[in-house]
Amino acid sequence: MEKQIITIGLPRAMLYYRYRTLWRVFFQELGMETVVSPPTDREILERGTALAIDEACLSLKIYLGHVAALVGRCDYILAPRVSNFGRHRSFCTRFEALPDLVRNVFRGEKQKWLSYEVDEEMKRAGEEDALVELGRSLGCSAKAAKRAYKAAKKAELAEHKARVQKQEQLCRREGMKVLIAAHSYVAEDPYMGRAVTDYLKRSGVIPLRADLTDRDGALKHSRELSPTCKWELNREILGGIALRRGEVDGIILLSAFPCGPDAMVNELITRRVKGVPMLNLVLDSQSGTAGVETRLESFIDIIRFQEGKL
């Protein structure tokens, strides 16, 4: 009898945009298949909004919509718990709560869940050990799981390096450049940040990303703007701004309402980064594309006016 291949569901939201290659290659190396939820649309947002509490941020509402889209379509759905990479390298608490959240929200469904925990500060649980243990829980040997992790990590780092190099090429092009300071799950989501990037391109602007840079270098340079910021993802964005602010014509602070870390860090950025036009753009479930495009159009006109090109 042919052995049934295990399928793992990956919600196309939150940390998916950071770890999609790591997860896909890891499970692939273990002989499993991954199923990814469809790109975000209005239906996914509305479904997630109905499942979330009112105070949840837009990114979390979208995440729940993606989980709902996978329920019943795969053997397991992956919901990792990522707490920190060590002292002063924390993640937002929503990333700690995801496994408990989905198990409770979807407790009436006959769905199985997968999780692993990264907490290097309190539990000394690093990413490699966590994923090796995850592989073992799926019936794989520790040796096979470790080999799968090594291959997956190599692929993840190679993909990120290629994206950073592509952005370096964009930096060398002539034309107006605007730096988008946003989490990848906001900037790359089709229903949120992708519209911003697409509009900038249509307007003849070269969009750059603050988070697409060497991560270790960004963490070091983040201290130029804040020596005490504890959120890893925000520190990477701060470092990207510190590295790029002299190369761009404007900065867009793009966030999902009501993100607590972004609200604090974006206020810090507006106070400490001077001499470059800045737009604080907060997206929510009621935001219309026309309203966003109007603000972007005005922002581009301000830049051109200041540079004497309007």
Side-chain angles (χ1 to χ4, degrees):
M1 185 175 180
E2 188 176 347
K3 184 180 179 181
Q4 186 176 0
I5 297 176
I6 296 174
T7 56
I8 313 295
L10 305 178
R12 194 192 298 259
M14 305 286 269
L15 292 179
Y16 170 81
Y17 290 97
R18 185 182 182 93
Y19 294 124
R20 56 191 165 192
T21 300
L22 178 75
W23 294 338
R24 176 181 56 79
V25 176
F26 177 73
F27 291 118
Q28 178 182 296
E29 289 290 315
L30 293 178
M32 303 172 193
E33 292 182 352
T34 53
V35 178
V36 183
S37 55
T40 309
D41 56 17
R42 188 72 196 180
E43 181 182 352
I44 283 178
L45 171 59
E46 290 179 349
R47 196 170 182 183
T49 300
L51 293 167
I53 60 173
D54 293 340
E55 293 78 10
C57 68
L58 178 60
S59 299
L60 184 55
K61 292 175 181 177
I62 287 175
Y63 176 82
L64 289 176
H66 279 282
V67 173
L70 287 170
V71 169
R73 293 181 52 205
C74 47
D75 296 309
Y76 299 91
I77 296 177
L78 181 67
R81 187 193 309 278
V82 182
S83 178
N84 62 76
F85 291 156
R87 185 171 173 78
H88 301 309
R89 301 186 63 185
S90 300
F91 278 63
C92 174
T93 53
R94 62 188 162 186
F95 296 115
E96 295 185 61
L98 287 185
D100 299 322
L101 179 66
V102 295
R103 283 187 172 92
N104 279 279
V105 170
F106 298 95
R107 59 188 178 275
E109 304 287 347
K110 295 180 180 179
Q111 178 64 56
K112 292 186 287 186
W113 307 92
L114 275 183
S115 186
Y116 64 88
E117 182 172 9
V118 177
D119 183 351
E120 296 190 19
E121 182 177 8
M122 298 296 293
K123 299 184 178 181
R124 300 292 187 268
E127 181 182 84
E128 180 175 356
D129 290 339
L131 279 167
V132 168
E133 184 60 33
L134 176 64
R136 292 183 62 192
S137 72
L138 290 167
C140 302
S141 68
K143 184 178 180 180
K146 181 166 284 194
R147 185 170 57 246
Y149 174 78
K150 297 292 186 185
K153 196 64 180 180
K154 182 179 180 180
E156 178 202 29
L157 294 175
E159 183 208 31
H160 183 71
K161 183 179 180 179
R163 298 184 75 192
V164 171
Q165 290 175 341
K166 185 177 180 180
Q167 176 152 278
E168 293 295 336
Q169 294 173 358
L170 288 175
C171 285
R172 291 192 287 269
R173 286 175 51 186
E174 293 293 327
M176 181 190 296
K177 302 179 185 69
V178 170
L179 185 67
I180 300 174
H183 299 297
S184 58
Y185 53 85
V186 174
E188 297 182 41
D189 187 272
Y191 204 77
M192 291 195 285
R194 185 86 61 80
V196 174
T197 304
D198 290 345
Y199 181 83
L200 292 175
K201 290 179 180 178
R202 290 197 304 271
S203 302
V205 177
I206 300 172
L208 302 175
R209 292 262 300 279
D211 62 320
L212 286 183
T213 187
D214 174 70
R215 287 169 178 162
D216 291 334
L219 292 176
K220 293 177 182 177
H221 282 277
S222 69
R223 293 183 170 275
E224 297 174 19
L225 297 178
S226 173
T228 58
C229 181
K230 69 175 185 176
W231 295 295
E232 181 85 353
L233 302 184
N234 289 92
R235 286 181 63 201
E236 291 177 359
I237 292 171
L238 285 171
I241 293 174
L243 288 165
R244 297 284 186 202
R245 57 181 168 179
E247 304 174 0
V248 298
D249 301 281
I251 298 174
I252 296 176
L253 307 179
L254 184 64
S255 59
F257 180 83
C259 177
D262 280 4
M264 297 178 68
V265 174
N266 287 352
E267 177 65 20
L268 179 151
I269 294 169
T270 58
R271 290 169 182 254
R272 299 196 174 179
V273 178
K274 303 296 183 183
V276 56
M278 197 173 299
L279 172 65
N280 193 351
L281 194 57
V282 181
L283 306 173
D284 59 37
S285 57
Q286 305 303 318
S287 295
T289 304
V292 171
E293 291 184 354
T294 299
R295 295 190 64 189
L296 290 171
E297 181 182 14
S298 299
F299 182 59
I300 294 170
D301 286 345
I302 288 171
I303 295 174
R304 288 175 174 155
F305 179 79
Q306 291 188 353
E307 295 181 349
K309 298 177 182 177
L310 186 66

